[in-house]
Amino acid sequence: MDAPTVTLRVPPLADHFTLLRTVVSGIAARRDYTLEQVDDLRMAVEEAAVLLLRHGDGAPLELRALITDEVLRIQLSTNVTSPATVVDRSSFSWMILQALTDDVSTSLDGTRASLELVKHRRRNDHDSEAQG
């Protein structure tokens, strides 16, 4: 069976980033991510959305969350005005994304730019004790 996927499209306005953060934090909380990890994902989604919005052409911003037992993959994408580099890997924003996620990557397909954020679920000390 394929891993469950949640998809959400929002208008390209910062006012709608609350929806993106809420969806991601809800998914992570229900998958038993730590509070710190949930907060990291919320901040990373906001940062990624801001980066894409800066280069967007007015098309909706799409979030796709691929949910597995131990990994949450969040892909944010939108159409961009120019197929130039959306993310400068030496920028402060890129450093923030790297600090908040276990892996971050970018892709460009024509004028469709995507950022993928990956977070592995850490076990709480309580979880480890219960299994041990």
Side-chain angles (χ1 to χ4, degrees), residues 3 6 12 14 32 39 54 62 77 111 118-119 130:
V6 173
D32 294 325
D39 285 343
R54 281 188 203 139
E62 182 177 274
S77 61
T111 59
V118 176
K119 194 74 165 175

Side-chain angles (χ1 to χ4, degrees), residues 112-131:
R112 187 85 180 162
S114 298
L115 282 166
E116 184 177 74
L117 314 172
V118 176
K119 194 74 165 175
H120 296 271
R121 186 165 61 98
R122 277 196 323 252
R123 299 229 180 247
N124 289 322
D125 290 336
H126 175 74
D127 292 340
S128 299
E129 291 170 8
Q131 289 185 359

